[in-house]
Amino acid sequence: MTITTRVPDETQPNASRTLRIPVTGMTCAACQARVQRALEKQPGVAMANVNFMMHDATVTYDPATVSPERLVDTIRGTGYGAELAAPGRTAFDEQAARDAAQDEEYHDLRRKALVAGIVGAVAMVVSMPLMSGAAGAHSAISDPVMRWANAVLDPLLRRALPFLYAVPPGVLSWAMLAATAAIMWWVGRDFYTRAWSAFRHRAADMNTLIAVGTGAAFLYSVFATVAPQFFLSRGLAPDVYYEAVIIIIALIRTGSAFEARAKRQTSASLRALVELQPRTARVARGDRELDLPIEDVRQGDVVVVRPGERIPVDGEVANGESAVDESMLTGEAMPVTKRAGDRVIGGTINRTGAFRFRATTLGADSVLSRIVQLMREAQGSRAPIQRLADRISAIFVPVVLSIAVATFVLWFIAADSAPGVRAFAAAVAVLIIACPCAMGLAVPTAVMVATGRGAELGVLIKGGEALQRAGDLHTIVLDKTGTVTEGRPAVTDVVSTGSLAEPDLLRLAAALESVSEHPLAEAIVQRARDAGVEVRAPEHFESVTGRGAMGIVEGRGIAIGNEALMADHAVDVSVVQQRATVLAERGRTPVYVAIDGALAGLLAIADPIKPTSREAIARFHAMHLDVVMLTGDNIRTAEAVAREAGIDRVVAGVLPQGKVDEIRRLQASGRVVAMVGDGINDAPALAQADIGMAIGTGTDIAVEAGDVVLMRGDLRSAVEAVALSRQTMRTMKQNLFWAFIYNVVGIPVAAGVLYPAFGLLLSPILASAAMAFSSVSVVTNSLRLRRVRIRA
């Protein structure tokens, strides 16, 4: 079963488009590289990214030059499967199809591994009469397992199955030939067809090594079975390796089955996220409530939710009140109270009361769908460290083939006895043990598990590159308002110079700020309303970026802002300067009010620090990160906030461009910098930083901003993102180490370097077992990320 998702931009018919095409049959990083090279060579393809773990190809192409069907044909031409699916498939359907395909793959591999294993065990018993005795087959092999079989099993079998030893060797060989041919055709056919396809495209991959190794052993054995006199006339035993071929195929299939099951677990978080989406919604139409499929809900429909039910779609509460569990999005266990006007998210759980809400965003535009799409893209992306594995994998198979040939030649020349047998066994062992499966799995499995774990914590990481760079950070730069502080400032002091009464000062200031969306303006308006002051709209309003606002209220010119704004208009603030300094040192922001060119008073606004900010910043320090706060606020207020939060350094009074310049300065000094902001006002700084972390509610544009999205409005999420990244990088490096060291050590041992000193050789059977174990161990190590402690 295959899955395809098209993402066309219908508004720009000539623009490039992105298409995801499932690819079947890939077994290692070399397969992935071959498909990707073929797509990249196709005219009209701007970008192609093939993911071995996700088994798909993401292609950005020019539809005027190349069609989706042509892209599918290109993939098929490399020897792998690809198919376009019907459009309109939902995220749920897509995940269900993917799960079904993975289940089918796992059960098929397990069935074939079981059958091959049983046949292999019988073949081992049947082959014992052929191997027994000094002149028997395999007698020259110094594999400890084979020595144990000859020394222990052979006497037992002679007593238990005497009739077997009475059967002529030729008959046993022909029976083994038939069984081996059947297993190769049914269980191992993919190895040979894909190796042949790779050969036709002048490439080599894991299938090449297995096909050459087992194919050579089989052909050698067939020749010994058909023409034993050829060997006997030259003083050689007509050895056969049928049981080795069957068991190698059985072990590789067993490893593939375990690998398939483990890989399915790596996408468990994505699967759990998709399954959060209810399949139906209770919609009020007229005087009836109808249970409708989720696809039939229209924007503006009134949806009814009862206690304990999942909210089916995104919307805005119309009436009623309840506590909603949003932990699936934010990782925060405490339910959030929802009242009329509050936004609710599809997939979250209504805990207590019943309420009605009006559906707003549906389908692919819903928050849950956007998060699922982000996770898919992240899990399909590559970490830069993957390039190392790719470069090695690209040259690995040809190098191994050369080593196998050299091993055969050296053993054939140097062996003191039975040179053909020793040379043949050593060369096959080299081919089998060298399969680069573990290298291809080392990085993608870690990326998949880590992005899923991050989603569980309310941390969306957009891809392997962001994951890796977050682990290399030196400096964390924090925005103040809304990041370190609550972002809900309030007026604490109203100071008049005496020209106006305080209520009049507040009335005029609130009137001007009533059309502003700035948090400080909202605080002034709220204070006026709380004081019972009537707030009218201004006749004219002008925002002065980084300084404040100006306008006309009741025919009078009003200017509200910082000291720089007053200086620009030659307003003398000395009469309240000392009071402003005292307020700023208490962490409050002084805002000057000038009327008709003369200072009329001062408003002090405080934005309390979030309860979790100090703990999060202490954790950053414990992780040996420098913490810098950037703010447009004045230096005294900023320093007061920094002291309370425990921040190392403050850069105050900076505009958005100033924040960008400060981040560039840090980068120029060799620091890897992360910027944590709200994802909107700090967008330039987020883009400039090596890692932009957008902190927000997870329900708005913040989902689209930054390399990392922190779904909770809590700095501890940034700590968790860095901790998860570091742990993931450790896992990737462990995986690559074991994958590389396995081949670095395993290939020489298989070639026979231990034989001169210890008399040991590695049989192809042990080599295949080790190869299967290496892949399973890498995937298992990545799965540890699901359980490792990350919480801040």
Side-chain angles (χ1 to χ4, degrees):
M1 189 173 289
T2 56
I3 314 156
T4 301
T5 298
R6 301 188 197 204
V7 189
D9 184 353
E10 301 295 352
T11 62
Q12 300 180 55
N14 295 322
S16 63
R17 296 183 182 182
T18 300
L19 175 69
R20 194 166 73 249
I21 308 171
V23 182
T24 58
M26 292 192 296
T27 52
C28 65
C31 305
Q32 168 186 294
R34 185 143 59 96
V35 176
Q36 182 157 323
R37 281 197 300 271
L39 287 170
E40 288 172 342
K41 289 178 182 176
Q42 187 66 37
V45 172
M47 185 279 295
N49 181 28
V50 179
N51 190 286
F52 165 50
M53 283 297 299
M54 299 291 286
H55 282 231
D56 63 20
T58 303
V59 188
T60 301
Y61 66 101
D62 178 3
T65 306
V66 62
S67 67
E69 290 75 17
R70 177 59 184 162
L71 296 174
V72 169
D73 290 341
T74 300
I75 296 172
R76 290 175 178 168
T78 60
Y80 302 94
E83 185 178 344
L84 292 174
R89 182 174 285 189
T90 65
F92 184 88
D93 296 334
E94 189 169 337
Q95 187 62 42
R98 185 184 295 276
D99 289 346
Q102 289 180 330
D103 285 343
E104 183 179 341
E105 178 190 19
Y106 167 64
H107 290 299
D108 181 60
L109 288 170
R110 189 179 65 170
R111 183 171 56 251
K112 288 180 175 176
L114 181 62
V115 172
I118 293 172
V119 175
V122 174
M124 279 291 290
V125 172
V126 173
S127 65
M128 285 307 296
L130 300 175
M131 294 189 288
S132 61
H138 303 196
S139 59
I141 294 178
S142 299
D143 184 298
V145 174
M146 300 308 296
R147 281 206 300 257
W148 174 83
N150 272 322
V152 177
L153 290 183
D154 185 60
L156 294 175
L157 287 174
R158 281 182 185 276
R159 287 195 292 272
L161 304 172
F163 63 89
L164 186 63
Y165 286 77
V167 177
V171 174
L172 293 177
S173 295
W174 277 101
M176 298 270 287
L177 189 159
T180 307
I183 290 296
M184 292 175 76
W185 178 80
W186 184 58
V187 181
R189 181 173 49 188
D190 289 347
F191 299 138
Y192 308 105
T193 56
R194 291 168 184 166
W196 173 247
S197 176
F199 175 75
R200 289 194 295 114
H201 290 85
R202 301 177 182 178
D205 55 20
M206 184 198 84
N207 298 296
T208 305
L209 298 177
I210 297 171
V212 171
T214 57
F218 179 72
L219 292 176
Y220 181 94
S221 302
V222 169
F223 187 51
T225 302
V226 175
Q229 291 304 320
F230 176 84
F231 294 87
L232 295 172
S233 64
R234 288 164 175 78
L236 300 172
D239 290 336
V240 293
Y241 290 88
Y242 296 123
E243 83 288 348
V245 173
I246 297 173
I247 292 177
I248 286 170
I249 291 174
L251 287 172
I252 293 173
R253 281 296 183 221
T254 301
S256 300
F258 282 122
E259 186 181 304
R261 188 175 64 176
K263 280 195 295 186
R264 191 175 186 277
Q265 295 174 17
T266 62
S267 60
S269 297
L270 179 60
R271 188 179 307 112
L273 205 57
V274 171
E275 290 173 352
L276 292 176
Q277 179 75 60
R279 304 300 294 158
T280 61
R282 186 177 300 108
V283 178
R285 288 184 178 168
D287 56 354
R288 293 194 305 162
E289 293 182 1
L290 307 173
D291 286 328
L292 301 178
I294 202 76
E295 296 81 6
D296 294 342
V297 178
R298 298 191 296 265
Q299 196 171 31
D301 273 343
V302 174
V303 182
V304 181
V305 183
R306 293 170 182 160
E309 293 182 340
R310 281 195 185 277
I311 297 171
V313 297
D314 297 356
E316 186 176 296
V317 177
N319 55 65
E321 180 177 331
S322 182
V324 175
D325 179 357
E326 296 185 333
S327 59
M328 68 102 181
L329 288 175
T330 65
E332 180 57 61
M334 289 296 293
V336 180
T337 301
K338 299 290 182 180
R339 301 186 178 89
D342 289 342
R343 190 174 182 186
V344 291
I345 307 302
T348 56
I349 302 174
N350 176 33
R351 288 295 184 196
T352 54
F355 64 90
R356 294 186 172 207
F357 70 94
R358 201 169 298 281
T360 54
T361 51
L362 304 167
D365 294 328
S366 69
V367 170
L368 184 59
S369 293
R370 289 157 65 197
I371 291 173
V372 168
Q373 183 61 29
L374 282 175
M375 278 193 63
R376 284 210 173 104
E377 291 173 359
Q379 293 189 334
S381 68
R382 291 179 169 200
I385 197 173
Q386 176 69 46
R387 299 190 190 109
L388 172 64
D390 289 348
R391 283 198 295 269
I392 293 176
S393 295
I395 61 171
F396 191 74
V397 174
V399 169
V400 168
L401 289 171
S402 302
I403 293 174
V405 171
T407 299
F408 182 89
V409 172
L410 287 174
W411 272 104
F412 195 82
I413 295 172
D416 52 359
S417 64
V421 173
R422 292 179 186 275
F424 186 75
V428 171
V430 168
L431 290 170
I432 298 299
I433 204 169
C435 289
C437 307
M439 272 190 285
L441 293 168
V443 176
T445 53
V447 170
M448 287 190 71
V449 178
T451 50
R453 180 70 192 281
E456 293 173 358
L457 297 171
V459 177
L460 292 183
I461 301 171
K462 295 182 179 178
E465 183 170 356
L467 194 60
Q468 180 170 339
R469 297 179 82 181
D472 298 330
L473 292 178
H474 301 124
T475 303
I476 294 280
V477 178
L478 307 175
D479 172 48
K480 182 176 77 69
T481 304
T483 301
V484 178
T485 66
E486 293 281 6
R488 294 193 294 271
V491 175
T492 59
D493 300 86
V494 180
V495 179
S496 172
T497 58
S499 59
L500 284 175
E502 288 186 4
D504 292 331
L505 174 66
L506 194 58
R507 175 173 54 82
L508 293 173
L512 178 67
E513 297 286 24
S514 64
V515 295
S516 172
E517 295 181 350
H518 195 281
L520 298 186
E522 293 178 5
I524 294 170
V525 173
Q526 188 61 47
R527 173 61 181 264
R529 287 174 176 159
D530 291 345
V533 173
E534 183 182 5
V535 179
R536 296 179 178 176
E539 289 108 63
H540 175 72
F541 175 84
E542 178 186 354
S543 176
V544 184
T545 303
R547 283 172 164 73
M550 300 176 63
I552 298 174
V553 177
E554 300 175 7
R556 308 181 71 175
I558 312 291
I560 303 176
N562 56 21
E563 197 169 341
L565 180 67
M566 298 297 113
D568 290 345
H569 296 275
V571 176
D572 180 13
V573 299
S574 59
V575 67
V576 296
Q577 189 72 64
Q578 186 175 358
R579 184 68 182 276
T581 301
V582 172
L583 291 169
E585 287 174 347
R586 294 176 183 172
R588 298 169 185 176
T589 301
V591 177
Y592 299 93
V593 182
I595 299 177
D596 294 332
L599 187 71
L602 171 71
L603 305 176
I605 301 175
D607 184 8
I609 292 176
K610 293 177 182 176
T612 55
S613 291
R614 187 169 183 81
E615 176 193 343
I617 290 163
R619 289 291 308 275
F620 282 137
H621 287 148
M623 298 166 89
H624 306 292
L625 294 173
D626 297 333
V627 182
V628 179
M629 186 173 76
L630 297 182
T631 177
D633 214 336
N634 70 75
I635 184 64
R636 291 189 182 88
T637 303
E639 285 180 344
V641 171
R643 276 196 302 275
E644 186 177 348
I647 294 172
D648 305 320
R649 195 164 69 83
V650 174
V651 180
V654 289
L655 301 177
Q657 182 58 47
K659 293 183 179 181
V660 172
D661 293 340
E662 177 61 19
I663 290 173
R664 285 176 177 163
R665 191 190 67 74
L666 289 167
Q667 290 172 323
S669 66
R671 313 293 288 177
V672 180
V673 181
M675 171 73 193
V676 187
D678 63 11
I680 300 172
N681 296 331
D682 298 308
L686 288 168
Q688 176 60 41
D690 297 288
I691 291 291
M693 295 188 182
I695 191 167
T697 62
T699 60
D700 53 22
I701 196 169
V703 173
E704 304 293 342
D707 304 295
V708 176
V709 179
L710 311 175
M711 304 297 284
R712 282 181 286 153
D714 182 343
L715 263 183
R716 291 180 302 180
S717 294
V719 177
E720 289 166 357
V722 176
L724 177 62
S725 173
R726 289 184 173 184
Q727 183 61 46
T728 305
M729 286 307 300
R730 279 195 288 273
T731 301
M732 287 182 187
K733 289 174 182 176
Q734 289 166 359
N735 287 349
L736 287 173
F737 171 80
W738 286 112
F740 287 137
I741 200 70
Y742 160 82
N743 283 308
V744 167
V745 173
I747 292 174
V749 171
V753 294
L754 296 181
Y755 184 78
F758 303 101
L760 289 178
L761 278 175
L762 195 65
S763 77
I765 293 175
L766 273 187
S768 61
M771 189 272 282
F773 175 76
S774 70
S775 297
V776 174
S777 64
V778 163
V779 178
T780 303
N781 191 45
S782 296
L783 288 172
R784 289 174 53 243
L785 286 169
R786 296 170 62 187
R787 299 184 298 275
V788 73
R789 179 177 172 77
I790 299 293
R791 273 284 185 197

